[in-house]
């Protein structure tokens, strides 16, 4: 169990943080290691989607997905190493300043951060301690368990274990298969991994993305950023007004693909648009790594749920078009269209198979 959790931490925390260095030119503010962790995970998610779906359609075994995915991870690590070797040494380390300017009302600033961390620990402890009874888990966790034990993907009914026909609605969004990959690599039982270990990471990632958004909204950090984070937590804690609210999905059904789409993918897209619009406003060059993250987020949205293809296309299309018109930078429309083109391909395959 301890060894499994250690391997889980390496795969889900350390590995994305290393891979995320590829996209480090996108974000230069405070919390850049948080950005690298989140962006690296999106690169890994996107690769899993592009590897798994073709093999699922060809009814290949789960072991082949695992093998090819490790090749993909190795390629990203080699690319990261090559990029680091090209950069100067001081670019890899946090900037060292002669002295830090003392903030006004520092006690209030630290008190707000302390309150945020206490509320976060409360949510993480409750996510581990409690198990929410949800009917969808009987399906998705069963898919993860069947994938690990039988080595097949979407070829057995998760309720009965008998052979079944392929269902494009689930096969094109293999988030449970990615959970099976984590369970197989760590040795944790699929139910333990999905219901206990994974929610802790996904809840933390959600707040990490909101931290990045807060850094864009309140760059001065004079108490406004921790206040924004605490207010976000209060919205989540008191957001159980509906069975289908984003807050309910985040805390009760964290490990489901629909929850990841609403609480991780879409907020990350919002953060990317903050970065894009700021560069357009200042008439700065948009780094190619930013469009890479747009593409990774778009593919990840398809991995979470079939509806993600539509939502991501609409979100990126409308926001990108409005931004290009506002700042008269129409050259960004074509790269954004290319970024969401995988969503159109997955949507077309879904319509054909349906």
């Amino acid at each position: 169990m301890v060894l499994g959790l250690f391997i889980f931490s390496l795969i889900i925390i350390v590995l994305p943080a290393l891979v995320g260095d590829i996209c480090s030119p996108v974000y230069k503010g405070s919390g850049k290691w948080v950005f690298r962790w989140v962006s690296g995970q999106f690169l890994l998610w996107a690769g899993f989607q592009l590897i798994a779906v073709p093999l699922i359609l060809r009814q290949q075994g789960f072991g082949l997905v695992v093998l090819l995915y490790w090749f993909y991870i190795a390629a990203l690590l080699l690319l990261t190493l090559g990029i680091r070797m090209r950069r100067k040494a001081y670019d890899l380390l946090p900037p060292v300043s002669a002295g830090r300017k003392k903030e006004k009302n520092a006690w209030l600033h630290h008190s707000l951060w302390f309150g945020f961390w206490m509320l976060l620990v409360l949510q993480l402890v409750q996510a581990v301690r409690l198990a929410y009874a949800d009917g969808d888990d009987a399906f998705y966790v069963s898919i993860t368990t069947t994938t690990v034990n039988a080595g097949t993907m979407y070829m057995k009914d998760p309720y009965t274990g008998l052979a079944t026909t392929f269902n494009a609605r689930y096969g094109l969004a293999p988030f449970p298969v990615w959970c099976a990959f984590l369970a197989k690599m760590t040795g944790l039982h699929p139910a333990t991994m999905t219901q206990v270990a994974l929610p802790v990471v996904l809840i933390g990632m959600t707040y990490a993305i909101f931290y990045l958004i807060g850094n864009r909204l309140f760059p001065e950090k004079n108490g406004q950023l921790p206040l924004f984070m605490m207010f976000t937590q209060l919205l989540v804690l008191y957001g159980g007004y509906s069975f289908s609210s984003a807050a309910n999905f985040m805390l009760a059904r964290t490990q489901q693909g629909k929850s990841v789409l609403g609480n991780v993918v879409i907020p990350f897209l919002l953060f990317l648009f903050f970065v894009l619009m700021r560069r357009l406003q200042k008439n700065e060059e948009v780094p190619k790594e930013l469009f890479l993250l747009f593409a990774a987020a778009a593919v990840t949205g398809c991995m979470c749920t079939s509806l993600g293809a539509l939502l991501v296309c609409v979100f990126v299309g409308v926001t990108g078009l409005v931004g290009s018109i506002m700042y008269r930078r129409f050259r960004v429309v074509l790269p954004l269209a290319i970024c969401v083109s995988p969503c159109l391909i997955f949507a077309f395959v879904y319509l054909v198979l349906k």
Side-chain angles (χ1 to χ4, degrees):
M1 181 71 174
V2 176
L3 178 60
L5 291 176
F6 175 72
I7 298 174
F8 176 79
S9 301
L10 292 179
I11 295 176
I12 204 70
I13 297 177
V14 177
L15 185 60
L18 294 175
V19 172
D21 190 52
I22 297 174
C23 301
S24 58
V26 174
Y27 185 82
K28 296 294 185 180
S30 59
K32 64 177 182 179
W33 293 108
V34 175
F35 169 76
R36 291 180 183 181
W37 173 50
V38 175
S39 60
Q41 187 57 67
F42 271 89
L43 293 178
L44 294 172
W45 272 333
F48 189 88
Q49 169 75 357
L50 296 177
I51 292 172
V53 169
L55 296 179
I56 292 173
L57 295 177
R58 294 179 60 86
Q59 301 181 11
Q60 298 295 315
F62 175 59
L64 183 58
V65 173
V66 174
L67 179 62
L68 294 179
Y69 188 49
W70 275 116
F71 276 117
Y72 172 74
I73 292 174
L76 285 183
L77 290 176
L78 289 176
L79 179 60
T80 303
L81 180 61
I83 291 175
R84 286 193 172 192
M85 292 178 64
R86 292 182 58 184
R87 295 173 184 166
K88 296 181 181 179
Y90 61 80
D91 289 334
L92 303 179
L93 301 174
V96 179
S97 56
R100 188 174 180 180
K101 186 178 179 181
K102 187 175 180 181
E103 298 175 353
K104 296 181 179 179
N105 300 325
W107 64 270
L108 178 60
H109 180 83
H110 296 308
S111 298
L112 289 173
W113 274 123
F114 178 78
F116 165 78
W117 283 109
M118 289 299 99
L119 288 176
L120 179 59
V121 170
L122 171 65
Q123 294 172 69
L124 298 182
V125 170
Q126 293 294 77
V128 173
R129 192 177 69 90
L130 301 178
Y132 182 76
D134 180 70
D136 286 345
D137 286 337
F139 183 82
Y140 294 116
V141 177
S142 296
I143 290 179
T144 301
T145 305
T146 303
T147 302
V148 173
N149 294 334
T152 60
M153 299 177 292
Y154 299 100
M155 299 309 298
K156 290 190 175 183
D157 191 310
Y159 297 119
T160 63
L162 301 177
T164 184
T165 57
F166 176 75
N167 190 327
R169 175 186 175 188
Y170 304 110
L172 294 178
F175 193 83
V177 180
W178 177 75
C179 296
F181 166 79
L182 293 179
K184 185 176 182 64
M185 293 298 100
T186 59
L188 298 174
H189 190 279
T192 303
M193 198 280 302
T194 55
Q195 299 287 336
V196 178
L198 191 56
V200 173
V201 176
L202 293 178
I203 291 174
M205 184 174 291
T206 299
Y207 285 116
I209 294 173
F210 278 103
Y211 170 80
L212 296 175
I213 294 175
N215 261 325
R216 298 292 92 186
L217 296 176
F218 312 108
E220 65 275 7
K221 295 175 57 178
N222 58 352
Q224 296 180 9
L225 179 57
L227 185 62
F228 166 77
M229 296 300 297
M230 287 193 66
F231 182 71
T232 303
Q233 285 185 318
L234 293 177
L235 291 178
V236 171
L237 291 172
Y238 291 92
Y241 55 85
S242 170
F243 180 77
S244 301
S245 67
N248 183 71
F249 268 88
M250 175 182 171
L251 296 181
R253 299 194 274 177
T254 316
Q255 74 286 350
Q256 296 180 13
K258 295 173 287 187
S259 173
V260 176
L261 174 67
N263 294 295
V264 177
V265 177
I266 293 180
F268 187 66
L269 281 172
L270 181 62
F271 162 73
L272 293 180
F273 275 115
F274 275 124
V275 177
L276 176 63
M277 296 308 167
R278 180 64 59 87
R279 289 184 175 272
L280 295 181
Q281 183 183 30
K282 295 183 177 180
N283 200 26
E284 296 177 350
E285 181 181 359
V286 180
K288 57 183 180 298
E289 292 85 358
L290 181 59
F291 294 114
L292 175 62
L293 285 178
F294 270 114
V299 175
T300 302
C302 299
M303 173 185 168
C304 296
T305 174
S306 300
L307 185 61
L310 174 63
L311 293 178
V312 170
C313 283
V314 172
F315 190 85
V316 175
V318 172
T319 310
L321 184 61
V322 171
S324 62
I325 293 175
M326 286 179 58
Y327 301 111
R328 298 181 181 180
R329 295 283 297 276
F330 298 99
R331 289 180 296 177
V332 301
V333 175
L334 180 59
L336 288 176
I338 296 175
C339 291
V340 299
S341 59
C343 298
L344 301 177
I345 296 175
F346 286 120
F348 176 76
V349 173
Y350 173 77
L351 294 176
V352 171
L353 297 178
K354 185 179 178 181

